[in-house]
């Protein structure tokens, strides 16, 4: 291998790493509700925001297109799609099955440290809701759910759950301010913590499933499409 070939290979690897880094940042932001439905992206805009060249920005956006996290709204513009009522139902039914399983198996491996961590996260969620910082609440909401899910020991299951959160994350912003007023999510999280203290994985699963269902009922009212 010549020096020039090695240099070209190094550049390709660095470019790939930058593309992965940009993708990871954008994907995580979508999962946590940073971008609302209708938010627009351009290659140049992403490149400027994250201080990278257009190549890794384009690569990251193309990957998000394949995950149905972005759709074209023009020749050079991508947008976070609005989830239809039928899509919402499909995602929700799948989430309940997958996340319920992750929650139950994760609860079996939970410890006192897990409970302490969840209580701290819930504190952040509560203060965010009180101050109408809804994006912050969603940011910590992901931490709460995955603090339990990550304990399930099934990487394939977690990957499938995250792929659903990429699609539903932006839409979760539509839960507010109603969810801040009713505290439905807060109640479900409290039940999760209590069930973990009582070492009751089935109740932990039920609480997470109820959390998903409560969100679905609110989002369904505003989602475009024919009534169920």
């Amino acid at each position: 291998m010549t020096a020039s070939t090695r240099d070209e290979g190094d550049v390709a690897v660095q470019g790939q790493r930058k593309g992965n880094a940009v993708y990871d940042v954008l994907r995580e932001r979508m999962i946590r509700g940073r971008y609302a439905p209708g938010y627009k992206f351009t290659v140049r805009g992403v490149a400027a925001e994250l201080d990278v060249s257009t190549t890794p920005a384009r690569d990251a956006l193309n990957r998000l297109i394949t995950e149905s996290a972005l759709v074209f709204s023009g020749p050079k513009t991508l947008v976070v799609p609005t989830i239809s009522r039928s899509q919402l139902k499909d995602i929700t039914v799948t989430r309940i099955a997958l996340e319920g399983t992750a929650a139950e198996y994760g609860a079996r491996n939970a410890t006192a440290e897990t409970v302490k961590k969840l209580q701290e996260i819930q504190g952040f969620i509560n203060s965010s809701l009180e101050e109408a910082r809804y994006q912050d609440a969603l940011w910590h909401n992901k931490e709460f759910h995955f603090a339990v899910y990550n304990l399930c020991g099934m990487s394939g299951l977690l990957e499938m759950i995250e792929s659903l959160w990429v699609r539903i994350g932006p839409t979760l912003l539509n839960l507010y301010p109603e969810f801040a007023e009713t505290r439905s999510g807060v109640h479900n999280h409290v039940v999760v913590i209590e069930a973990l203290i009582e070492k009751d994985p089935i109740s932990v699963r039920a609480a997470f499933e109820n959390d998903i269902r409560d969100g679905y009922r609110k989002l369904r009212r505003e989602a475009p499409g024919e009534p169920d």
Side-chain angles (χ1 to χ4, degrees):
M1 180 182 293
T2 64
S4 61
T5 302
R6 284 198 300 272
D7 290 343
E8 290 172 1
D10 289 344
V11 170
V13 170
Q14 290 171 6
Q16 184 179 26
R17 287 174 179 167
K18 284 186 178 180
N20 289 338
V22 174
Y23 167 76
D24 289 342
V25 169
L26 295 181
R27 190 174 190 266
E28 192 65 21
R29 287 179 178 179
M30 288 187 175
I31 287 174
R32 295 174 186 260
R34 173 74 176 272
Y35 304 118
Y39 188 95
K40 294 182 178 180
F41 291 87
T42 63
V43 171
R44 292 188 180 278
V46 170
E49 180 183 359
L50 299 182
D51 193 23
V52 296
S53 68
T54 56
T55 298
R58 183 179 294 105
D59 291 345
L61 292 176
N62 284 337
R63 290 176 67 181
L64 290 168
I65 291 171
T66 64
E67 293 186 51
S68 300
L70 293 175
V71 295
F72 280 102
S73 65
K76 297 182 179 180
T77 304
L78 295 163
V79 64
V80 177
T82 298
I83 299 294
S84 70
R85 193 166 277 151
S86 62
Q87 290 172 323
L88 178 63
K89 182 177 181 179
D90 180 45
I91 292 171
T92 301
V93 170
T94 309
R95 283 188 64 200
I96 289 172
L98 299 183
E99 293 181 42
T101 300
E104 180 180 343
Y105 278 84
R108 295 177 184 178
N109 297 318
T111 64
E113 281 300 311
T114 306
V115 172
K116 181 179 178 181
K117 180 178 181 180
L118 291 175
Q119 290 171 331
E120 291 175 351
I121 295 171
Q122 191 57 45
F124 291 130
I125 293 174
N126 292 345
S127 61
S128 297
L129 293 176
E130 290 167 2
E131 298 169 12
R133 292 184 288 106
Y134 303 135
Q135 286 190 337
D136 289 344
L138 284 178
W139 188 272
H140 295 299
N141 179 64
K142 195 259 187 176
E143 292 292 315
F144 189 97
H145 281 249
F146 280 83
V148 178
Y149 298 167
N150 286 336
L151 298 175
C152 74
M154 292 178 272
S155 59
L157 177 60
L158 292 171
E159 289 175 4
M160 288 188 284
I161 291 172
E162 283 208 343
S163 71
L164 293 170
W165 276 59
V166 172
R167 296 182 63 194
I168 197 65
T171 303
L172 295 180
L173 279 170
N174 294 336
L175 292 173
Y176 303 104
E178 182 176 317
F179 253 44
E181 297 165 356
T182 63
R183 296 300 175 98
S184 298
V186 171
H187 170 74
N188 291 322
H189 286 191
V190 170
V191 174
V192 167
I193 293 171
E194 291 175 348
L196 286 173
I197 292 173
E198 295 171 4
K199 301 187 183 304
D200 184 356
I202 300 301
S203 292
V204 171
R205 175 175 189 149
F208 275 115
E209 290 177 346
N210 285 337
D211 198 40
I212 297 170
R213 289 191 185 95
D214 287 344
Y216 170 70
R217 294 187 187 100
K218 165 64 170 68
L219 296 174
R220 182 181 59 186
R221 297 200 299 269
E222 300 177 6
E226 294 297 322
D228 296 332

